[in-house]
């Protein structure tokens, strides 16, 4: 299956929001698997073992989506957190909102607003990055052409590796839709001596 672009958090984050004496601590983490998401959740639960609630949601590539109200009234915590992920089209991410009850009931509407705000604050603090699918293109050139070609290669691709062997071998990452043009340019600029090959696919953070 061809890789598809997706958005994910740029970094982990922690935010705090207080309403009617209830303290909401929001955290957002990029995660690569369900196992990692569950480990992040376990870490937060251990850190805040004395909290009233640790509510959460995660959205992973491949369609894995889970959430929990962790004892709050149904639909007032986990789903608003999940909505934050869905609305922002963010994947491979988990948001956990820890609540310390302040003694004043917020009501269903107040809980939804509080958990939504805390999740949104955590998401915004984490930032985001686009993961762009690329082809890895490999090709070799002789030393006499290196100087004239290097600038083009660096401006038209992301150089993954250069090896100075009998010839100079490049491994470059090129966005899917630009690959055909890039290969054609390499062939033209080397008078057909270079034979670029697509040797793999991977994501590049933009």
């Amino acid at each position: 299956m061809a890789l598809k672009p997706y958005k994910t958090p740029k970094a982990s984050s922690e935010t705090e929001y207080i309403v009617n004496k209830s303290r909401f601590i929001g955290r957002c983490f990029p995660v690569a698997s369900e196992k990692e998401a569950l480990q992040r959740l376990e870490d937060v639960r251990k850190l805040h073992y004395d909290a009233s609630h640790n509510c959460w949601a995660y959205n992973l590539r491949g369609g894995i989506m889970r959430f929990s109200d962790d004892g709050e009234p149904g639909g007032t915590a986990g789903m608003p957190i999940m909505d934050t992920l869905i609305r922002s089209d963010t994947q491979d991410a988990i948001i956990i909102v820890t609540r310390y009850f302040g003694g004043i009931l917020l009501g269903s509407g107040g809980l939804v607003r509080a958990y939504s705000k805390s999740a949104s604050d955590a998401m915004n603090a984490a930032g985001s990055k686009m993961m762009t699918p690329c082809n890895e293109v490999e090709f070799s050139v002789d030393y006499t052409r290196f100087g004239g070609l290097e600038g083009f290669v660096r401006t038209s691709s992301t150089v993954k590796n250069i090896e100075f062997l009998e010839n100079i071998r490049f491994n470059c990452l090129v966005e899917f839709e630009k690959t055909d043009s890039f290969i054609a340019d390499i062939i033209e600029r080397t008078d057909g001596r270079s034979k670029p090959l697509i040797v793999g696919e991977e994501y590049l953070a933009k």
Side-chain angles (χ1 to χ4, degrees):
M1 180 182 290
L3 303 181
K4 296 181 180 180
Y6 68 97
K7 186 166 69 172
T8 196
K10 185 182 295 184
S12 301
S13 69
E14 178 180 334
T15 61
E16 186 171 327
Y17 170 60
I18 297 175
V19 56
N20 289 345
K21 298 183 180 180
S22 277
R23 180 183 173 208
F24 293 84
I25 303 169
R27 290 182 173 88
C28 180
F29 302 98
V31 291
S33 66
E34 189 166 26
K35 180 179 179 181
E36 185 180 356
L38 294 174
Q39 184 60 58
R40 289 291 195 179
L41 177 59
E42 183 62 22
D43 291 344
V44 171
R45 281 174 169 163
K46 287 180 180 178
L47 181 64
H48 294 289
Y49 65 90
D50 58 341
S52 307
H53 309 278
N54 286 293
C55 306
W56 54 269
Y58 58 79
N59 184 21
L60 306 178
R61 284 181 299 137
I64 299 175
M65 304 169 72
R66 305 276 189 274
F67 63 89
S68 172
D69 295 311
D70 193 35
E72 292 281 30
T76 63
M79 195 65 234
I81 298 171
M82 177 63 79
D83 282 345
T84 301
L85 291 168
I86 294 173
R87 286 198 312 272
S88 63
D89 195 27
T90 299
Q91 300 180 66
D92 281 3
I94 182 170
I95 297 176
I96 306 163
V97 179
T98 298
R99 181 191 182 192
Y100 285 90
F101 181 53
I104 301 174
L105 296 176
L106 301 182
S108 294
L111 287 172
V112 170
R113 287 189 294 273
Y115 279 102
S116 294
K117 175 175 172 50
S118 189
S120 180
D121 287 349
M123 171 81 71
N124 291 336
S128 65
K129 60 184 178 182
M130 285 300 303
M131 301 301 292
T132 303
C134 294
N135 285 310
E136 181 180 349
V137 180
E138 181 177 288
F139 59 94
S140 296
V141 297
D142 60 48
Y143 282 81
T144 62
R145 295 176 183 271
F146 176 71
L149 193 64
E150 183 187 16
F152 166 76
V153 171
R154 291 192 181 278
T155 57
S156 304
S157 71
T158 297
V159 177
K160 184 177 180 181
N161 190 44
I162 300 177
E163 288 187 281
F164 294 88
L165 306 170
E166 181 178 350
N167 289 310
I168 301 169
R169 184 167 66 200
F170 287 88
N171 286 78
C172 304
L173 299 179
V174 186
E175 294 177 33
F176 280 1
E177 63 272 18
K178 298 178 181 179
T179 300
D180 288 345
S181 175
F182 179 80
I183 288 175
D185 281 337
I186 293 298
I187 292 172
E188 180 180 350
R189 288 167 183 267
T190 60
D191 297 323
R193 290 186 172 85
S194 183
K195 310 292 184 184
L197 296 174
I198 297 174
V199 296
E201 297 177 352
E202 65 180 81
Y203 282 103
L204 183 65
K206 292 280 189 175

